[in-house]
Amino acid sequence: MSRRLHVLRAVLLILAVAGIIAGAMSGEVRIVITKAVNVCLECIGIG
Amino acid sequence: MSGRRTTFQVVAAIGQNSWLAGFLRGRIWRGASKAVCVPGLNCYSCPGAWGSCPVGSLQAVLNRSADRISLYVTGLIGLFGVLLGRLICGWLCPFGLVQELLYHIRSRKVRIGPTRLRYFKYVVLGVLVIAMPLLLRDRYGVGDPWFCKLICPAGTLEAALPLLALNESLRSSVGGLFAWKAAVFAATMVSSVAVYRPFCRFACPLGAVYGLFNRISFVQLSCDRTACIRCGRCAAVCKMGVDPSVRPADPECVRCGDCTSVCPVHALTLGLPVRKPAADRPS
């Protein structure tokens, strides 16, 4: 197992967690939940 | 491995869609858990769904934000990908389970090896999930989730069929778009009887993303090349068209583990890579 792979994993993990936190703080969670709690007409083929 | 995995898949699929009242009333869950995306392709308009679909959520944010991709949803997808890679497809995705169950139906099977058609899912990801929702907008500046609208057979199965069956007002609105989606769904279901996981292999944008993580995810399929006797059993048993002894981290591998079960020398292992003691390493 190369050291470079370990570093890449750690960097991607940190970026992913940072993205989740930054996105949540910028109001994206509200967009996601607003879409998800209403019936998605596009998903069922009538939107 | 196969029976244990199927049990795990069934438990995961039921767990993600276990709000039974939704199926009885023809409604969807509206609680706070919908703020979190599940790892697999699972429609948030399925009456039983507790969580959100990552592909649908990605498009929902793209539809609203003209200037950027969703950090929250891409972060969640990245987190799932870094931890598990396409293990999610093989063990957690309800729509993968549906295709596998159909493949168990006795019929003539068509084995498809590595083909350029596998790259089509990257086109679906780039065009229908990212570019079109980002670029095509109505006069109010709002876009459509084009993948959900034109393709997603999981939405047709998990949301359209139960909601249309239970809700008269929705049923009265059905038109040409539903006919198209029903045709895509029917084609996916019928082809799944003869071809192993055709949607996952050729069209799933989530599988495309997770496949890119297969080389770097924490969970790995590993091949001990010093132990491998190159008997070819692993490649013969792989229904995704992968040769695990040559490319154990292939983007098409869904980490089902069938290859580990047939390996006569236990050269293939699925899980977190374990550093070997110095004495076991080849000099």
Side-chain angles (χ1 to χ4, degrees):
Chain A
M1 186 73 52
S2 74
R3 182 179 165 80
R4 219 171 60 179
L5 188 58
H6 283 298
V7 172
L8 184 61
R9 267 184 200 151
V11 168
L12 285 173
L13 194 64
I14 292 165
L15 282 177
V17 174
I20 293 167
I21 294 168
M25 289 174 69
S26 67
E28 289 175 15
V29 175
R30 191 171 46 79
I31 300 174
V32 169
I33 198 165
T34 302
K35 177 71 179 173
V37 298
N38 293 293
V39 172
C40 169
L41 297 179
E42 296 90 351
C43 301
I44 60 175
I46 59 176
Chain B
M1 179 67 83
S2 189
R4 188 161 59 102
R5 186 171 65 90
T6 303
T7 306
F8 194 95
Q9 287 173 287
V10 170
V11 170
I14 293 173
Q16 291 172 68
N17 298 290
S18 54
W19 191 56
L20 295 178
F23 289 105
L24 298 173
R25 298 178 201 156
R27 292 182 185 170
I28 64 169
W29 171 250
R30 296 172 61 90
S33 58
K34 280 275 178 83
V36 181
C37 298
V38 294
L41 196 69
N42 193 70
C43 187
Y44 38 35
S45 285
C46 172
W50 298 102
S52 285
C53 170
V55 178
S57 301
L58 187 62
Q59 293 170 94
V61 180
L62 280 170
N63 290 338
R64 299 280 170 183
S65 316
D67 55 342
R68 61 178 167 82
I69 250 177
S70 167
L71 290 174
Y72 175 67
V73 183
T74 50
L76 279 171
I77 294 173
L79 182 65
F80 297 141
V82 170
L83 293 176
L84 302 171
R86 281 196 89 176
L87 186 92
I88 292 159
C89 307
W91 291 73
L92 294 171
C93 180
F95 198 65
L97 169 66
V98 170
Q99 292 171 84
E100 283 192 18
L101 293 176
L102 287 168
Y103 191 74
H104 284 303
I105 295 173
R106 284 194 177 193
S107 71
R108 189 175 168 194
K109 304 301 178 191
V110 180
R111 284 190 72 107
I112 301 177
T115 163
R116 286 185 182 173
L117 202 54
R118 68 182 184 273
Y119 297 119
F120 181 67
K121 57 181 173 287
Y122 296 96
V123 176
V124 172
L125 172 68
V127 175
L128 291 172
V129 177
I130 297 174
M132 287 174 70
L134 194 62
L135 301 174
L136 302 182
R137 291 164 184 281
D138 62 18
R139 63 180 129 162
Y140 304 107
V142 178
D144 276 327
W146 289 99
F147 171 75
C148 304
K149 191 169 182 170
L150 297 179
I151 303 286
C152 187
T156 309
L157 174 68
E158 297 167 359
L161 296 182
L163 287 178
L164 292 177
L166 295 165
N167 194 313
E168 172 62 38
S169 63
L170 287 176
R171 206 159 50 238
S172 64
S173 307
V174 162
L177 183 60
F178 177 76
W180 164 255
K181 280 206 71 178
V184 172
F185 169 69
T188 307
M189 295 295 100
V190 170
S191 58
S192 297
V193 177
V195 180
Y196 186 72
R197 285 177 170 249
F199 183 76
C200 308
R201 294 182 68 182
F202 308 126
C204 182
L206 205 49
V209 175
Y210 290 146
L212 299 176
F213 283 98
N214 263 4
R215 282 180 66 86
I216 49 178
S217 60
F218 281 86
V219 173
Q220 285 287 319
L221 178 68
S222 310
C223 179
D224 182 350
R225 295 186 201 287
T226 57
C228 177
I229 56 172
R230 289 160 186 79
C231 63
R233 289 187 199 181
C234 52
V237 80
C238 180
K239 295 190 277 292
M240 295 297 282
V242 174
D243 185 345
S245 66
V246 179
R247 289 170 58 92
D250 192 290
E252 298 305 304
C253 172
V254 295
R255 276 89 187 263
C256 67
D258 286 353
C259 55
T260 62
S261 304
V262 298
C263 181
V265 292
H266 308 293
L268 290 161
T269 49
L270 177 64
L272 297 172
V274 180
R275 190 182 287 269
K276 285 185 169 184
D280 290 354
R281 288 185 210 152
S283 57

